[in-house]
Amino acid sequence: MDVSHILDELNEAQRQAVTSESQHTLVLAGAGSGKTRVLIHRLAWLIQVQHVSPMSVLAVTFTNKAAGEMRARAQNLLQVSARPMWIGTFHGIAHRLLRMHWQEAGLQENFQILDADDQHRVLRRLIKEEGMDENQWPARQAQWYINARKDEGQRPDAIEHMGHPMTATWVHIYQLYQDYCNRAGLVDFADLLLRAHELWLHNPSLLDHYRNRMTHLLVDEFQDTNAIQYAWIRLLAGDSGSVLVVGDDDQSIYGWRGAQVENVQHFSRDYSAVQTIKLEQNYRSTATILDAANAVIANNEDRMGKKLWTAGDKGQPITLYAAFNEQDEARYVIEQIEQWLSRGRRAEEVAIVYRTTAQSRLFEEYLLRASVAYRVYGGQRFFERAEIRDALAYLRLVQNPNDDAAIERVINTPTRGIGQKTLSTLRLQARESSLPLWQAAQHCIQQNVLPPRALGAVHGFIELISGMRERMADWTLGKQMQAVIEDSKLVTQYEKEPREKMESRVENLSELVNAADAFVLPFEDEEAGMTELQSFLSHAALEAGETQGEAWDDCVQLMTLHSAKGLEFPLLFIAGMEDGLFPHQRSVTEAGDRLEEERRLCYVGMTRAREQLCLSYAESRRMYGSQSHNRPSRFLQEIPSELMQEVRPRMQVQRPWASHKAPVYKKSNSNIKQDWPFQLGASVRHRKFGDGTVISFEGSGEHTRVQVNFHRTGAKWLVLAYANLSAV
Ligand code: ATP
Ligand code: MG
């Protein structure tokens, strides 16, 4: 069989890893050396050459985006469908397992995922109900404590507090919280992993089944696995499974969230017959960028040590721009991007990365004004907006009325006369009888323990949800979504808000209906026995933390350094290179390895660049509401000066926008279907919002959305089919 295409475009070391005959393989290598490529080619090799069944391969990556790419690339290499393969994130795969085996996992069939925001709300309330001082026992800290214990695989009864009162209290809160989740059929993110682990641990026959089935395990970004993920893979591998992991200790950036870089060392200890392979050639960056990144990371002490070289050109020097302030910085960056575009390069080749999410706002503003399409990763995320979460909570109740977190969210949203007092009575009843709120409410109605008005209101709510459940049973998802929004009268909740805000909420809700309409039950969810509704709700929860909307090709990408991991861009800006911002203030003042982790983050950032790396800092910056004057980042001093070229700032701080003639950027070789009624840059009119400029498109067909920068109200996303725009 001709398998040359699988081994083509691999160097000797990469080929060794792909074809490794030893049971376990550890690929330890620096950034851009082809680790992810090895993993994908290994997958293809196993299936095509070793005749491993696609169903026997499990590949784990760090983000849904990476998983999607891996699936597409594997499919491309193999020329067969990648559908039967288990490719996903740890959370996604754990979720799928729990859906398939909810009974063995001791879960309710309709269990829901509790995201970080809801988790915080639940904890705040539980702590308050216990009569504890919220200042002494903040919900954030409880959340952190609980998630950390779960990441270590610990349930409350397994925690030794040895009479230590503080620990004992946290454990008590943990227990309360867990009881609550169990009653309400809720599973938080950390619990997905822990439960998936316990599922196998407590069901040996099930574990056996999976050990026989999933014989080949592949893990990307291994340096950022936490204890429970490590244990989960170890358990599944058993004695006979084969494991290949790839990672880079210099890119371990999630220590603050429980990731354990030691897992890389433990791997050789815990598995037998491990072949360790180092990749030393970097294929991503110019020699200049690579040398600079190597020089920075060399300042860290505790490293496993790797050499990286490139056969590529020296390339352009790294540029360093010293801005007067953050406005000047944004202006400079956008100007550089415009130049790049005017040279015929594409917007999607460009990324702006920064340390904190708040930094994106200014760049967005300047990009908008320059009419350059952009996309923010993990910015204001669609599924995290209040109105979206409210509407989804109703849908969750249609799915499972015992979902207490959903009831808490919408029982009085919109206001329907169920006040705090009534709610307390319901909660008390629920706690005393160990029932979900839904049943406790019914109980209260039967026993007539509420004052008449409250009784009527609670009764009304129960009727509303029951009515929805009955009517909607066999409706399509889109129709259900539409109906819960209408029947709940959710929109009335926002009527007191400023008009613009309310309108944007209404738009988002109609967008949610579109999303529900367009939703197709993925094959793997169908296989796991999920209904369309279950699958949709899980996607909303699991993907909330990642991206905004559908991928839209040709636009500049904005993201934090953390979410840039694994990606690469020809032109990369790292903004805000100031001490106190990057490295982050916390890491400078706190003891331990924090500064080294920031430096690794810097290394990750720099090594995302392929052709040109542009660094910048602002001499003065408005941050958290006050003006600060920070020194240039210490990491800048660690870059050899001959690799860097300083760009002198202009002597004018800011041009007034009126005189700033942004060139209308026309996309050249876009691969997006050109069936839009407007060009990018076209002037359009909207009945309510007035005149504006079209700045980007997203999606296709009837789901096409258009972003218009309105002169009066700023940029808005609209569903093209409903927007009724006219050309001006
Ligand atoms: P990171 O540490 O950032 O995750 P990585 O080690 O996973 O990086 P890849 O993303 O797999 O590296 O590869 C980096 C780039 O180099 C990609 O564009 C990839 O296509 C290219 N590349 C890798 N190996 C080769 C090769 N043998 N020949 C040509 N290009 C290669
Ligand atoms: Mg990679």
Side-chain angles (χ1 to χ4, degrees):
M1 184 195 307
D2 177 26
V3 293
S4 57
H5 67 287
I6 296 181
L7 298 180
D8 271 0
E9 296 188 342
L10 292 179
N11 65 31
E12 188 45 42
Q14 291 173 333
R15 223 170 271 184
Q16 248 184 48
V18 166
T19 59
S20 168
E21 302 257 319
S22 80
Q23 190 181 357
H24 306 300
T25 315
L26 165 67
V27 178
L28 183 63
S33 57
K35 294 184 296 300
T36 303
R37 176 182 280 228
V38 160
L39 201 121
I40 294 167
H41 285 245
R42 170 79 175 177
L43 196 152
W45 174 262
L46 287 172
I47 293 169
Q48 197 127 336
V49 181
Q50 304 285 310
H51 303 294
V52 171
S53 155
M55 285 173 61
S56 298
V57 182
L58 174 90
V60 195
T61 66
F62 211 74
T63 60
N64 288 308
K65 181 176 155 65
E69 262 164 37
M70 188 171 286
R71 190 174 283 277
R73 282 168 69 180
Q75 195 148 307
N76 198 6
L77 265 180
L78 287 167
Q79 300 293 316
V80 297
S81 163
R83 289 212 316 189
M85 295 174 215
W86 282 43
I87 300 179
T89 60
F90 276 107
H91 287 102
I93 290 169
H95 172 247
R96 185 172 171 186
L97 269 177
L98 295 176
R99 284 280 173 218
M100 292 170 81
H101 304 289
W102 56 272
Q103 270 166 317
E104 292 97 322
L107 284 166
Q108 300 180 12
E109 183 173 11
N110 284 330
F111 75 85
Q112 303 280 334
I113 300 173
L114 188 72
D115 66 20
D117 191 52
D118 274 340
Q119 184 185 37
H120 180 250
R121 289 162 71 109
V122 165
L123 278 163
R124 216 175 46 198
R125 199 168 39 66
L126 289 176
I127 290 168
K128 215 160 151 187
E129 274 176 20
E130 277 296 286
M132 297 166 80
D133 179 359
E134 290 171 83
N135 294 322
Q136 200 183 349
W137 309 101
R140 283 259 169 261
Q141 213 169 327
Q143 191 173 12
W144 181 86
Y145 178 84
I146 292 169
N147 293 341
R149 294 296 79 72
K150 287 185 176 178
D151 284 345
E152 289 163 0
Q154 285 189 306
R155 291 290 181 199
D157 49 16
I159 302 172
E160 282 288 346
H161 51 75
M162 300 195 273
H164 194 293
M166 188 117 136
T167 313
T169 308
W170 288 128
V171 173
H172 175 63
I173 297 174
Y174 182 1
Q175 184 70 60
L176 275 178
Y177 166 79
Q178 199 55 49
D179 290 345
Y180 171 87
C181 289
N182 295 349
R183 268 204 313 276
L186 295 168
V187 179
D188 61 41
F189 288 152
D191 221 26
L192 284 173
L193 302 177
L194 180 50
R195 280 183 185 271
H197 184 249
E198 290 169 345
L199 173 71
W200 285 337
L201 209 56
H202 301 156
N203 296 281
S205 59
L206 199 65
L207 175 60
D208 263 357
H209 166 82
Y210 278 101
R211 278 182 175 168
N212 288 332
R213 177 181 163 176
M214 308 265 188
T215 47
H216 290 79
L217 320 180
L218 311 167
V219 188
D220 200 358
E221 306 278 3
F222 188 67
Q223 75 282 355
D224 274 327
T225 47
N226 65 24
I228 196 76
Q229 291 164 340
Y230 184 88
W232 186 80
I233 290 286
R234 184 72 199 89
L235 189 62
L236 178 58
D239 292 331
S240 57
S242 156
V243 187
L244 174 131
V245 300
V246 307
D248 177 5
D249 58 306
D250 287 332
Q251 295 187 67
S252 145
I253 53 175
Y254 282 96
W256 55 281
R257 227 170 58 180
Q260 299 178 321
V261 66
E262 307 84 83
N263 286 345
V264 176
Q265 284 131 332
H266 293 170
F267 189 79
S268 310
R269 184 194 69 192
D270 295 346
Y271 291 80
S272 55
V274 174
Q275 182 180 13
T276 301
I277 294 172
K278 296 199 170 182
L279 310 176
E280 298 186 327
Q281 183 172 359
N282 173 295
Y283 289 91
R284 180 180 291 147
S285 311
T286 64
T288 301
I289 294 168
L290 192 62
D291 288 348
N294 282 340
V296 169
I297 198 68
N299 291 284
N300 270 5
E301 298 213 330
D302 207 8
R303 302 177 57 214
M304 292 175 194
K306 292 178 287 317
K307 290 191 295 272
L308 261 189
W309 62 278
T310 172
D313 292 344
K314 234 170 100 191
Q316 299 296 316
I318 294 167
T319 60
L320 174 63
Y321 184 70
F324 290 113
N325 56 20
E326 73 280 8
Q327 302 269 348
D328 186 37
E329 181 184 51
R331 178 196 59 75
Y332 172 78
V333 168
I334 292 359
E335 219 170 76
Q336 297 304 303
I337 295 177
E338 288 181 314
Q339 281 179 19
W340 176 267
L341 297 174
S342 71
R343 290 201 294 272
R345 302 293 301 254
R346 296 169 59 104
E348 65 175 353
E349 296 178 313
V350 184
I352 308 173
V353 301
Y354 34 78
R355 180 65 180 84
T356 61
T357 45
Q359 284 166 266
S360 76
R361 197 188 51 84
L362 256 191
F363 292 110
E364 288 190 65
E365 241 176 82
Y366 278 69
L367 284 162
L368 278 173
R369 288 171 176 168
S371 299
V372 175
Y374 69 88
R375 179 161 174 254
V376 189
Y377 280 78
Q380 231 295 352
R381 290 161 283 218
F382 186 70
F383 286 114
E384 288 180 3
R385 292 176 186 150
E387 64 276 14
I388 301 299
R389 297 169 63 92
D390 289 343
L392 287 175
Y394 277 103
L395 206 59
R396 273 160 59 181
L397 289 176
V398 168
Q399 161 83 16
N400 173 20
N402 291 341
D403 183 339
D404 279 8
I407 291 210
E408 290 275 358
R409 187 164 186 106
V410 295
I411 192 166
N412 204 34
T413 306
T415 338
R416 49 171 73 87
I418 302 179
Q420 278 308 318
K421 229 169 124 195
T422 311
L423 209 49
S424 304
T425 314
L426 300 183
R427 287 184 193 133
L428 191 70
Q429 177 70 40
R431 280 220 298 176
E432 281 179 353
S433 49
S434 283
L435 285 174
L437 274 174
W438 175 257
Q439 291 170 37
Q442 284 170 322
H443 191 77
C444 287
I445 293 171
Q446 280 155 16
Q447 302 295 312
N448 222 347
V449 293
L450 290 167
R453 274 193 44 196
L455 191 92
V458 173
H459 189 70
F461 178 72
I462 301 261
E463 293 274 281
L464 173 71
I465 303 293
S466 308
M468 287 178 179
R469 281 169 63 76
E470 268 165 40
R471 276 188 306 130
M472 294 177 192
D474 48 6
W475 288 8
T476 63
L477 195 58
K479 209 169 152 199
Q480 290 188 20
M481 197 70 252
Q482 178 86 41
V484 295
I485 293 170
E486 279 168 15
D487 294 4
S488 65
K489 306 200 173 57
L490 193 52
V491 177
T492 59
Q493 175 71 16
Y494 316 123
E495 272 166 359
K496 286 180 222 80
E497 295 179 337
R499 206 178 93 190
E500 251 177 61
K501 196 158 180 192
M502 146 114 188
E503 277 167 358
S504 109
R505 292 200 197 271
V506 172
E507 276 162 22
N508 287 332
L509 286 173
S510 80
E511 184 55 28
L512 181 64
V513 175
N514 289 343
D517 249 336
F519 187 74
V520 185
L521 181 64
F523 169 78
E524 57 269 25
D525 286 4
E526 189 181 338
E527 198 191 44
M530 279 183 241
T531 63
E532 226 182 16
L533 178 54
Q534 274 175 338
S535 169
F536 182 75
L537 288 171
S538 313
H539 276 261
L542 284 173
E543 277 165 31
E546 264 188 42
T547 52
Q548 181 188 33
E550 279 302 295
W552 192 75
D553 276 349
D554 201 16
C555 50
V556 172
Q557 327 255 324
L558 275 67
M559 66 191 84
T560 62
L561 284 150
H562 279 97
S563 41
K565 169 163 138 158
L567 307 178
E568 55 187 31
F569 302 92
L571 173 60
L572 185 95
F573 296 87
I574 306 182
M577 299 280 303
E578 294 138 42
D579 257 18
L581 184 56
F582 187 37
H584 201 275
Q585 190 58 40
R586 279 197 309 263
S587 71
V588 181
T589 47
E590 275 175 28
D593 173 34
R594 296 294 284 268
L595 185 62
E596 296 219 333
E597 183 149 310
E598 292 287 302
R599 190 175 281 110
R600 291 194 290 269
L601 195 54
C602 186
Y603 174 76
V604 167
M606 293 173 76
T607 53
R608 299 308 98 198
R610 295 177 62 169
E611 297 170 31
Q612 176 73 63
L613 175 60
C614 303
L615 309 174
S616 56
Y617 65 92
E619 283 160 3
S620 109
R621 176 182 299 274
R622 268 200 92 69
M623 210 163 51
Y624 310 121
S626 64
Q627 201 77 23
S628 56
H629 300 268
N630 293 322
R631 284 185 319 168
S633 169
R634 65 192 68 192
F635 301 145
L636 291 172
Q637 287 153 26
E638 297 171 0
I639 300 175
S641 55
E642 67 273 17
L643 301 177
M644 205 156 46
Q645 193 176 61
E646 274 201 54
V647 183
R648 300 288 357 134
R650 305 271 171 78
M651 289 319 286
Q652 97 226 48
V653 178
Q654 221 186 321
R655 276 176 289 175
W657 280 110
S659 69
H660 178 90
K661 290 220 174 49
V664 172
Y665 158 54
K666 292 232 167 60
K667 290 172 350 107
S668 44
N669 47 352
S670 159
N671 55 4
I672 304 281
K673 279 196 292 300
Q674 289 288 343
D675 58 354
W676 306 318
F678 307 106
Q679 286 274 320
L680 283 177
S683 297
V684 291
R685 180 163 299 157
H686 183 272
R687 271 219 327 267
K688 273 185 283 178
F689 304 132
D691 293 355
T693 313
V694 172
I695 53 178
S696 65
F697 288 96
E698 184 175 275
S700 60
E702 57 180 308
H703 302 295
T704 308
R705 302 201 310 152
V706 55
Q707 193 180 25
V708 181
N709 191 16
F710 289 106
H711 304 324
R712 252 188 312 120
T713 51
K716 283 186 189 308
W717 278 104
L718 304 168
V719 178
L720 192 56
Y722 302 136
N724 275 329
L725 295 175
S726 53
V728 190

